[in-house]
Amino acid sequence: MATSHSPGPEILTFGEAMAMFVADTSGELAKVECFHRRIAGADTNVAIGLARLGFRVGWLSRVGEDGFGTFIRRTLEAEGIDCRHLYTDPDHPTGLVFKERAPDGADPNVTYFRQGSAASYLTPGDANNIDFTALRHLHATGIPPALSPSARELSLHVVEQARAVGASVSFDPNLRPSLWSSEADMRTTLNAVAARADWVLPGIAEGRLLTGHDSPEAIADFYLERGSQAVVIKLGREGSYFHGCLGGQQESFTLPGVTVDEVVDTVGAGDAFAVGVISALLDGRPPHEAVRRGNLIGSLAVQVVGDMEGLPSRERLATLENERPAR
């Protein structure tokens, strides 16, 4: 466990983690009797993935003063996550999520119990003790701005603080339309965050909803015109599209996805893709290699039941990359 005397994290993520209960058998939740407990959270998936690759990662959030909050903290600390900025809220509970087992790799139905959760009470003040000068990178998602007005203020605050010290910023929309009061509010808020990010990582459906454009090229141009350096769009089984200027070189290309024998669970694939892209760019790899790594790690995530169980260690990643030489 990291202490206030140890070096601050070089990468920071923030948001909400929930205790997740995954059905042991397929079928509707009303008929399921047994579940396995795991954790869920887009930002924690990315934090765990980057920590497994050797980066010093911190996580900012709140959990309840309950067994689920303790479980989340212990799980993240066991993964090497710096939890000095994870606060225990005595007045509000940890959020919960229940997930069905969907057959044949279909997207599973999930049921959330997160209204009024501890994380929804995040405020800009929760970032007061962060040493932003130690940050190399900040990863943001569209989930904290959807939780509450105060969590939205926190999101914009930490992004601006990271930018002010020269840290790079990545943004994955991770759309949760049901958490927003209106689609217009969602678009306006998340596009404002994206405009402050260096690397924007939407799925194709998310990009279409947020920008009103249909093609990957037009979606990418939308964010590049607003100040982003690079846009990487997830195209599902078709792979990924990159457009941007990194290292002084303008590039635009599509890389095919990695074929897998069996898709078990698609939840967490986008977060795994973000782990691949972000880690490669922080490793100094060129865009082609970053997108290739994103596709590769994303393919690992869909082959397991949990959201983050397929995320590789640095050693396993090196082996997999050597087995799949660049074409």
Side-chain angles (χ1 to χ4, degrees):
M1 176 178 176
T3 70
S4 59
H5 301 292
S6 60
E10 61 179 331
I11 299 174
L12 182 70
T13 65
F14 63 99
E16 179 173 36
M18 293 169 286
M20 177 172 68
F21 294 85
V22 183
D24 283 352
T25 56
S26 60
E28 59 180 291
L29 286 178
K31 297 181 179 179
V32 175
E33 295 184 356
C34 298
F35 300 79
H36 270 83
R37 184 185 63 176
R38 305 175 188 270
I39 70 169
D43 44 275
T44 50
N45 290 339
V46 174
I48 290 169
L50 293 172
R52 287 183 183 178
L53 295 179
F55 295 97
R56 296 196 326 274
V57 185
W59 186 55
L60 165 65
S61 189
R62 292 190 186 193
V63 292
E65 193 173 36
D66 47 47
F68 298 124
T70 301
F71 163 65
I72 289 171
R73 182 184 295 274
R74 289 174 178 173
T75 300
L76 296 179
E77 289 180 343
E79 291 284 351
I81 307 297
D82 186 325
C83 290
R84 75 182 71 187
H85 303 302
L86 172 57
Y87 301 105
T88 299
D89 186 330
D91 300 317
H92 305 98
T94 305
L96 304 178
V97 57
F98 291 80
K99 184 166 72 171
E100 292 182 357
R101 289 287 295 272
D104 302 321
D107 291 339
N109 291 321
V110 295
T111 299
Y112 294 99
F113 296 88
R114 71 197 309 178
Q115 186 173 4
S117 69
S120 69
Y121 285 86
L122 283 164
T123 73
D126 290 322
N128 285 347
N129 294 325
I130 295 174
D131 180 9
F132 283 98
T133 63
L135 280 192
R136 183 181 174 197
H137 185 77
L138 173 77
H139 180 66
T141 77
I143 296 175
L147 296 177
S148 67
S150 63
R152 183 180 307 184
E153 292 176 13
L154 169 73
S155 300
L156 293 170
H157 173 69
V158 295
V159 169
E160 290 292 1
Q161 291 298 309
R163 285 168 52 89
V165 299
S168 54
V169 177
S170 55
F171 175 67
D172 187 337
N174 279 111
L175 294 189
R176 302 292 188 273
S178 63
L179 296 179
W180 292 89
S181 59
S182 71
E183 190 174 291
D185 187 26
M186 178 178 71
R187 284 197 302 267
T188 300
T189 301
L190 296 190
N191 285 336
V193 178
R196 294 166 168 81
D198 300 293
W199 315 328
V200 182
L201 311 170
I204 183 66
E206 293 175 326
R208 287 168 175 161
L209 184 58
L210 290 174
T211 69
H213 297 297
D214 187 63
S215 70
E217 295 82 2
I219 293 168
D221 285 340
F222 178 92
Y223 290 115
L224 294 173
E225 290 167 359
R226 285 159 176 77
S228 299
Q229 294 179 10
V231 181
V232 193
I233 301 175
K234 293 160 280 190
L235 305 176
R237 296 178 186 271
E238 286 70 45
S240 309
Y241 171 79
F242 175 94
H243 185 38
C245 183
L246 297 177
Q249 182 175 357
Q250 186 82 19
E251 294 186 73
S252 179
F253 59 86
T254 299
L255 287 185
V258 175
T259 302
V260 301
D261 293 332
E262 180 184 8
V263 176
V264 175
D265 185 346
T266 58
V267 177
D271 304 325
F273 177 83
V275 169
V277 172
I278 294 167
S279 65
L281 293 177
L282 293 178
D283 284 345
R285 301 287 188 89
H288 273 84
E289 293 185 26
V291 176
R292 175 174 169 266
R293 183 184 288 182
N295 289 345
L296 175 60
I297 298 183
S299 76
L300 301 178
V302 303
Q303 299 179 67
V304 297
V305 172
D307 293 5
M308 55 79 176
E309 280 73 5
L311 297 170
S313 65
R314 178 68 75 167
E315 292 74 19
R316 185 180 179 219
L317 175 62
T319 298
L320 292 170
E321 288 186 321
N322 289 334
E323 290 174 351
R324 295 176 178 272
R327 291 179 292 180

